[in-house]
Amino acid sequence: TSQRFTYIQKYSAGGDTCRAKRVVWYDDARSLRLKALLVDKYALRGIAIWALGNEGSRAWPLLKRYGRTLAKR
């Protein structure tokens, strides 16, 4: 399962306020693999990774294989 955290964001406008729960997800090896499969399924041009370093060491071999696959296209 991907890593995640939640937080509450408070919004104010015109004297009204509300709170919204937000969930932030981080990629791991499994989620990156699934993104790569979607690229192949829908013939997309690639994947995006917001911040390197959160994905864990198991993701790197997968990303290398994925990059080599894209280079052959």
Side-chain angles (χ1 to χ4, degrees):
T1 309
S2 296
Q3 297 177 5
R4 65 184 166 105
F5 73 90
T6 60
Y7 67 97
I8 303 296
Q9 178 69 46
K10 182 178 176 182
Y11 296 97
S12 298
D16 295 326
T17 62
C18 69
R19 300 174 89 129
K21 181 180 177 180
R22 302 289 185 219
V23 180
V24 178
W25 294 87
Y26 291 96
D27 284 317
D28 60 9
R30 179 179 172 271
S31 65
L32 291 171
R33 183 179 143 278
L34 293 172
K35 283 183 181 183
L37 291 173
L38 288 173
V39 167
D40 289 335
K41 181 177 181 177
Y42 295 105
L44 303 173
R45 301 290 295 168
I47 61 174
I49 301 171
W50 178 255
L52 293 175
N54 297 319
E55 68 288 329
S57 61
R58 290 183 14 197
W60 286 104
L62 175 118
L63 290 171
K64 285 181 184 178
R65 283 193 308 273
Y66 171 70
R68 288 185 186 122
T69 301
L70 285 181
K72 293 177 184 177
R73 289 185 181 179

